[in-house]
Amino acid sequence: MGDGPTINTIAERAGVSIASVSRVLNGLPTRQDTVRKVMAAAEELGYVRNAVARSLKSRRTHQVAFAMADIGNPAYLAMLRQIQPVLKAAGYRLMLHSTDAVVADEIDVLHSLGERYVDGLIMSPLRVTDAHLEMLAAARAPVVIIGSVPEGTRVDNVRADSRTGVKLAINHLHTLGRRRIALVNGPLDTVPGAARGAAYREALEALGLPYDEDLVEIGDFYRAEGARAVANLLGRVADVDALMCANDLIALGALDVLRAAGRRVPEDVAVVGMDDTDLAAASWPSLTSVSLGSAERGKAAAELLLDRLQHGDREPRVVTVPPRLVPRASTTGVEPAPVPDSARRTGTKNTGGVA
């Protein structure tokens, strides 16, 4: 054994399979009795000199998980572009979970923290239920939530201000002379759907515009669902002159439907999205959107988690990223000068969010 112990010798000493040793040494979920056997065998054989085994002994995996609703949504990708380098610079690997916004899947991710397969978790849930709050209170590893949670929840939290963002968009449309401003929203039982629906009513009231239920259509935060919702809305109300869409994907679906219907954008109907993702600038016409700072929120979440891993007993912190309206041709009729790709990817321009 001149070259030191191998995975085979550890498996023989522990009385477990080679696959089990591999799972333990790579920090993957494994039965606790198997973890104890492998740790004991590795230490007896001197494998603790290896960096992986040292992390095993210290119960650190040097891995962090990021759980999001939809890995294909560019708003989450903007977060990821900032989370990854911050964690990598600190020596952590990043694992991704796409939960499809299924509450049971998110609860399972929180529950699995007890298996210590990661040192911490960044999560961006669309819904925050009592089950979420119970699991957060009992979490066995540090958690940072991107999105709003109830006041008093003792968890590090990075928030967008989508209420202010909606008001910025409605005020912009009103300034351009639009008066029949419709809302195409996501599900009202989600955090962003509820916030954006309430903000829409508040913005209309502040401008002296009446709230009309016929001008509100509920869909989901996907392009195809957005297109269906807009088609339903236009079939019901013919004189809509502006669409406030709850995210960019819905807005892109709206552009598809308006184009097919021969409705000019913005001459006939102005369109605003939320998130200011890369897709907003690349669409035709380019999409006016409200940036919710996904890149900034991702970076802040990673930094909060690293700080929590170093100072586990500090008080929870809340970071709020302010929104910003980014006018483009879908409301102004004027295509803006292109933004360099490098500027978007380094976070010098807000790239949106979903909370």
Side-chain angles (χ1 to χ4, degrees):
M1 244 182 357
D3 292 332
T6 66
I7 191 171
N8 301 68
T9 56
I10 294 172
E12 291 175 1
R13 177 65 63 91
V16 300
S17 69
I18 293 173
S20 293
V21 175
S22 177
R23 288 180 63 81
V24 171
L25 295 182
N26 284 287
L28 299 175
T30 312
R31 292 175 54 183
Q32 286 303 305
D33 61 336
T34 301
V35 173
R36 286 193 292 271
K37 289 176 183 179
V38 172
M39 288 174 63
E43 185 168 5
E44 289 172 11
L45 293 171
Y47 199 76
V48 293
R49 290 194 298 269
N50 182 280
V52 174
R54 283 200 303 271
S55 69
L56 181 65
K57 190 177 181 181
S58 66
R59 298 191 62 76
R60 283 293 181 95
T61 67
H62 298 285
Q63 295 185 150
V64 167
F66 176 33
M68 73 216 82
D70 176 14
I71 198 169
N73 188 317
Y76 292 117
L77 296 179
M79 294 180 189
L80 179 58
R81 291 189 192 120
Q82 295 298 313
I83 293 171
Q84 169 80 6
V86 171
L87 294 176
K88 185 176 181 180
Y92 287 87
R93 296 181 296 271
L94 184 63
M95 301 178 66
L96 303 180
H97 292 278
S98 188
T99 66
D100 294 324
V102 175
V103 170
D105 286 356
E106 292 169 349
I107 298 305
D108 186 60
V109 171
L110 288 167
H111 183 265
S112 68
L113 292 176
E115 299 172 357
R116 303 300 298 184
Y117 78 105
V118 291
D119 296 334
L121 170 68
I122 298 171
M123 175 175 278
S124 185
L126 287 182
R127 297 170 178 84
V128 178
T129 66
D130 289 342
H132 283 93
L133 298 178
E134 290 174 9
M135 291 303 301
L136 286 171
R140 300 289 296 276
V143 180
V144 177
I145 295 295
I146 300 179
S148 295
V149 295
E151 295 298 328
T153 304
R154 295 189 59 78
V155 65
D156 290 316
N157 181 208
V158 182
R159 301 179 177 182
D161 183 359
S162 61
R163 282 179 176 257
T164 297
V166 169
K167 294 172 185 178
L168 289 174
I170 299 297
N171 289 343
H172 171 67
L173 292 168
H174 187 267
T175 299
L176 294 173
R178 310 294 170 150
R179 296 296 181 267
R180 294 288 283 170
I181 304 170
L183 172 68
V184 187
N185 202 358
L188 295 180
D189 66 338
T190 64
V191 173
R196 292 164 203 188
Y200 169 75
R201 296 189 68 147
E202 293 167 2
L204 293 181
E205 182 178 356
L207 293 170
L209 297 177
Y211 175 79
D212 183 348
E213 288 188 359
D214 282 341
L215 290 177
V216 177
E217 187 71 26
I218 308 301
D220 210 335
F221 296 109
Y222 301 96
R223 185 169 185 161
E225 292 296 323
R228 278 191 282 270
V230 172
N232 289 340
L233 175 69
L234 295 180
R236 184 173 66 246
V237 184
D239 62 345
V240 170
D241 62 10
L243 295 173
M244 171 71 239
C245 300
N247 76 352
D248 284 352
L249 295 177
I250 294 174
L252 293 174
L255 293 179
D256 295 338
V257 171
L258 291 168
R259 189 179 299 112
R263 305 284 289 272
R264 298 171 302 164
V265 177
E267 292 85 354
D268 299 327
V269 182
V271 180
V272 179
M274 292 194 78
D275 287 347
D276 191 29
T277 61
D278 290 346
L279 296 177
S283 70
W284 186 262
S286 60
L287 179 65
T288 293
S289 189
V290 177
S291 169
L292 297 176
S294 283
E296 291 89 338
R297 287 189 290 146
K299 184 173 186 290
E303 291 173 343
L304 279 178
L305 185 60
L306 290 177
D307 186 67
R308 173 66 67 184
L309 289 168
Q310 292 295 319
H311 309 98
D313 57 347
R314 67 163 171 77
E315 284 295 301
R317 295 177 184 166
V318 177
V319 175
T320 301
V321 176
R324 181 170 60 92
L325 180 74
V326 184
R328 295 192 181 94
S330 68
T331 59
T332 67
V334 178
E335 291 291 343
V339 176
D341 186 65
S342 59
R344 294 185 65 84
R345 291 182 182 276
T346 54
T348 57
K349 182 179 186 297
N350 287 349
T351 50
V354 293

